[in-house]
Amino acid sequence: MEIQTFPNEIVFFDLETNVPNKTGQHFHILEFGAIIVCPRKLEELESFTTLIQPKDLSMASLRSSRSDGITRAKVTDAPSFEDVAEKIYGLLNGRIWAGHNIRRFDCVRIKEAFAEIGKAAPEPSGIIDSLGLLSDKFGKRAVNMKMASLAAYFGLGVQKHRSLDDVRMNLEVLKHCSTVLFLESTLPNQLEGKWQSSSKIMTRSRSHHQMVQKAMPYTKGSLGKMTQNVKKS
């Protein structure tokens, strides 16, 4: 049977894993999250996320330093990677893969996970790694190239280190960065390198005709809004 592929669709995905703290210890996937994105409008078409139970439950921490972090209790009743491998394969295979630092981390972990269960790993039709892309094009305006720093630079909130939240944040960071770079390209001598890392903008008060500073929080309806009624899988 011919395997259906979608070479022009982009799938942003992210993995949450344990952090090896002993020599010889391996990474184990604890969560997978992905969104399929229309390349023409950069709208979210479909989403999927699942916690994953590692073969050795001791690989998941008993406690997490984050309020919504992944703990051993959360993955105890989760499906194994083998249980969700077919779904993950269908989401990834033949699409353009996108994510932050995926070339060196997520892509490697996915191949390892499929090899461990003796199945062929999905293959991308292309890869967009926002870490390499933004390092080259956007520079260190946000001090460093961590997703948390880039999100803070644009006032997009705090990175949660949960797969689905992080891929959505990744997409929004790319939208904001590309907008800045597009504007700079129109007037490079005036705009390039002049942007400030502030989440506040100056607005004019109609009643007092004065410039006042107002915080403009990010909302889904702002630049790069996501589609509503996202299909769940």
Side-chain angles (χ1 to χ4, degrees), residues 72-157:
R72 191 175 303 174
K74 288 186 177 181
V75 299
T76 297
D77 297 321
S80 67
F81 184 81
E82 189 166 12
D83 291 334
V84 294
E86 185 176 351
K87 175 65 176 180
I88 291 174
Y89 186 95
L91 285 167
L92 297 181
N93 192 55
R95 288 188 168 95
I96 299 168
W97 294 4
H100 202 65
N101 196 32
I102 61 169
R103 285 187 182 274
R104 290 189 296 179
F105 189 79
D106 303 80
C107 293
V108 177
R109 304 286 87 80
I110 281 290
K111 289 183 178 180
E112 289 175 348
F114 274 92
E116 187 175 345
I117 62 173
K119 293 186 177 181
E123 294 291 340
S125 62
I127 296 178
I128 301 171
D129 191 324
S130 56
L131 176 60
L133 179 65
L134 296 181
S135 295
D136 180 46
K137 302 294 184 181
F138 196 71
K140 295 185 178 180
R141 310 178 201 207
V143 180
N144 59 54
M145 300 308 297
K146 293 180 179 180
M147 182 54 59
S149 301
L150 291 164
Y153 179 86
F154 289 110
L156 296 178

Side-chain angles (χ1 to χ4, degrees), residues 20 25 34 55 70 103 120 143 161 163 173 182 200 206 209:
Q25 198 175 71
K55 286 186 176 180
I70 300 171
R103 285 187 182 274
V143 180
H161 293 281
S163 294
V173 163
F182 173 75
K200 296 182 178 180
R206 290 185 179 181
H209 303 286

Side-chain angles (χ1 to χ4, degrees), residues 2 10 72-73 85 112 121 138 177 203 213-214 225:
E2 185 178 353
I10 303 172
R72 191 175 303 174
E112 289 175 348
F138 196 71
C177 288
T203 60
Q213 196 173 51
K214 294 182 179 179
K225 74 173 184 178

Side-chain angles (χ1 to χ4, degrees), residues 41-57:
K41 298 182 179 181
L42 296 182
E43 293 178 339
E44 183 177 320
L45 303 176
E46 183 181 346
S47 69
F48 174 77
T49 186
T50 180
L51 289 166
I52 294 174
Q53 181 189 123
K55 286 186 176 180
D56 182 356
L57 274 174

